[in-house]
Amino acid sequence: MSAFFERFFDDFTKSREFADIELLNPLDMHLHLRQGAMLESVLPFSARSFALGVVMPNLNPPITTTALAVDYRDEIMRLSEDFTPFMTLYLHENLSLEELKEASVQGIRILKLYPKGATTGSENGVREVVSERILEILSLAQDLGFILSIHGESNGYCMDREFEFLEVYEFLARSFPRLKIIIEHMSDRRSLESLEKYENLYATLTLHHILLSLDDVLGGLMQPDLFCKPMIKTPSDRDALLLCALSAHPKVSFGSDSAPHLQSKKYSAHAPGGIFSAPIALSVLASVFAHYDRLENLQSFVSDNARKNYALDSVLCDRRKVVRLTPKMWEIPQSVACENDAISVLFGGRKSAFRQIEGN
Ligand code: DOR
Ligand code: ZN
């Protein structure tokens, strides 16, 4: 029996005619770029496809100060000319109100909340979200116009962690009605209900959560390259999230959560979560939207929704990065080299129906 996602990689374009696709300013609203050699290896793939990426702060050490965020932004900008890193600040109990104000002055607009221990690089995360200290920080964040991005998982049973965290999302949405809160990498169909209930709740969706189910990760031989947090869930979660993407739900933006790890780590006894999708994200999204005849919604899903919901007009201004994709099969590389190691690419070895045209 072939996996659900295989249908997007057979040559479905043979029986139908497709025109070229033009996307204006594609935006990746959740991205891990890492640092040093790995940053150099992976950044070109995001910069090639996206005008801007929201850069996650879970480095070692994490980006907990404005100075660290500004240095990191400079490091990224030195390596790419045509890509805007949109920085995030790592929320923790000792974050001072002064530091938050300084971040705001330096143009940092996203605060990222990791519950302690929930995922890679969350060791310094928040122990108790609903605590006096964190609520005080969030109150100022609301006044300063920050967006709060949350890796929302409890420490309960792994498949129910996002669902269990919904009560925290809802409490925060009620307590801070002027604070925009993002359910990052939405993975559970039950989160869609919370999204409808609160005006100030938004979400990002990854490619892997809309195309894969747990069967793909664990149903045959174990696939460490498909292991990520939050865990990929059931076929009905996948189907509901896929529909949400295809309809370009106005409160939902694309965020790849492209999270590279070296194969030597991924194939060890303690594989970290993270899926590297940056090299193929737009091309595979185009195939999926074409397959369902929903290409008219792709621009909203990969750009317009985020531009509006994150108020990016003042950042993008009159930027016109046009990315073109043409209906031509190309073989996705298995991996990308990084120093003496390699990073597996999501869907490596398969043939994708839309190919990005270089030289935009
Ligand atoms: O799978 C994941 N990988 N989920 C996260 O939340 C973090 C990420 C990473 O940094 O590797
Ligand atoms: Zn992430």
Side-chain angles (χ1 to χ4, degrees):
M1 197 181 64
S2 90
F4 168 79
F5 64 81
E6 298 287 4
R7 71 193 64 192
F8 306 112
F9 297 97
D10 65 22
D11 201 354
F12 70 92
T13 50
K14 263 195 193 134
S15 52
R16 285 145 74 188
E17 285 269 310
F18 288 100
D20 284 359
I21 300 169
E22 273 195 9
L23 296 169
L24 176 63
N25 294 330
L27 309 171
D28 184 346
M29 301 311 288
H30 185 131
L31 176 62
H32 297 270
L33 286 176
R34 316 300 191 206
Q35 278 175 301
M38 192 176 280
L39 170 64
E40 288 187 36
S41 296
V42 303
L43 177 61
F45 297 100
S46 293
R48 171 177 174 255
S49 293
F50 296 94
L52 171 150
V54 171
V55 182
M56 289 298 135
N58 60 333
L59 304 182
N60 190 10
I63 304 297
T64 49
T65 67
T66 310
L68 285 170
V70 169
D71 282 354
Y72 188 25
R73 178 163 63 194
D74 290 346
E75 186 185 0
I76 298 165
M77 284 169 65
R78 261 198 307 278
L79 294 169
S80 74
E81 281 167 12
D82 189 27
F83 178 77
T84 303
F86 201 64
M87 307 312 288
T88 57
L89 189 68
Y90 193 106
L91 174 58
H92 61 110
E93 272 98 0
N94 298 324
L95 181 68
S96 74
L97 301 183
E98 287 318 307
E99 190 64 57
L100 194 58
K101 285 182 199 157
E102 175 60 13
S104 172
V105 169
Q106 294 299 331
I108 295 164
R109 305 233 308 260
I110 301 187
L111 202 52
K112 177 71 195 259
L113 190 164
Y114 290 99
K116 194 179 177 70
T119 187
T120 308
S122 64
E123 300 77 13
N124 298 289
V126 173
R127 202 183 297 270
E128 197 64 63
V129 179
V130 183
S131 62
E132 211 176 306
R133 179 75 197 114
I134 294 300
L135 299 182
E136 182 188 21
I137 296 172
L138 295 184
S139 173
L140 178 63
Q142 169 174 255
D143 291 342
L144 292 171
F146 272 90
I147 288 171
L148 176 64
S149 290
I150 306 184
H151 181 117
E153 290 199 279
S154 72
N155 54 14
Y157 171 59
C158 65
M159 294 292 277
D160 283 330
R161 285 178 189 169
E162 184 172 305
F163 174 67
E164 289 178 0
F165 198 88
L166 288 176
E167 63 181 30
V168 181
Y169 277 118
E170 296 198 4
F171 171 81
L172 296 177
R174 273 194 304 276
S175 306
F176 303 105
R178 290 177 291 111
L179 181 66
K180 284 188 173 174
I181 302 170
I182 318 283
I183 301 175
E184 291 292 344
H185 36 56
M186 186 163 52
S187 67
D188 189 308
R189 67 186 184 284
R190 294 167 290 187
S191 299
L192 290 163
E193 289 161 33
S194 299
L195 206 59
E196 301 303 340
K197 265 198 259 173
Y198 294 90
E199 208 179 310
N200 55 333
L201 268 188
Y202 296 80
T204 58
L205 271 184
T206 72
L207 184 65
H208 43 275
H209 289 102
I210 65 178
L211 296 189
L212 304 176
S213 77
L214 194 57
D215 240 8
D216 302 313
V217 190
L218 295 177
L221 292 177
M222 200 229 293
Q223 304 292 322
D225 290 325
L226 303 182
F227 173 59
C228 67
K229 298 291 179 75
M231 302 251 314
I232 286 168
K233 302 211 165 46
T234 67
S236 32
D237 292 300
R238 175 200 62 206
D239 294 349
L241 299 172
L242 176 58
L243 271 181
C244 177
L246 288 170
S247 66
H249 187 298
K251 293 174 88 181
V252 177
S253 320
F254 175 65
S256 69
D257 199 8
S258 180
H261 289 278
L262 295 174
Q263 284 182 342
S264 56
K265 295 252 171 61
K266 271 294 205 182
Y267 302 160
S268 73
H270 300 283
I275 295 179
F276 180 49
S277 59
I280 54 111
L282 276 191
S283 151
V284 175
L285 277 175
S287 300
V288 173
F289 278 64
H291 182 91
Y292 288 106
D293 250 329
R294 304 298 272 277
L295 279 171
E296 72 279 10
N297 287 342
L298 187 55
Q299 174 68 31
S300 300
F301 182 58
V302 300
S303 183
D304 300 351
N305 289 354
R307 183 170 182 136
K308 180 157 176 276
N309 296 335
Y310 293 70
L312 292 174
D313 277 353
S314 60
V315 179
L316 292 167
C317 303
D318 52 5
R319 183 93 173 273
R320 288 194 63 81
K321 180 161 178 167
V322 177
V323 174
R324 294 187 177 82
L325 298 126
T326 198
K328 247 196 204 110
M329 300 287 272
W330 67 288
E331 189 167 323
I332 297 173
Q334 295 282 2
S335 64
V336 162
C338 183
E339 294 194 289
N340 295 324
D341 210 322
I343 303 159
S344 301
V345 177
L346 177 61
F347 300 131
R350 291 189 171 70
K351 291 201 172 71
S352 178
F354 281 84
R355 176 186 197 116
Q356 188 176 330
I357 305 171
E358 295 301 336
N360 293 297

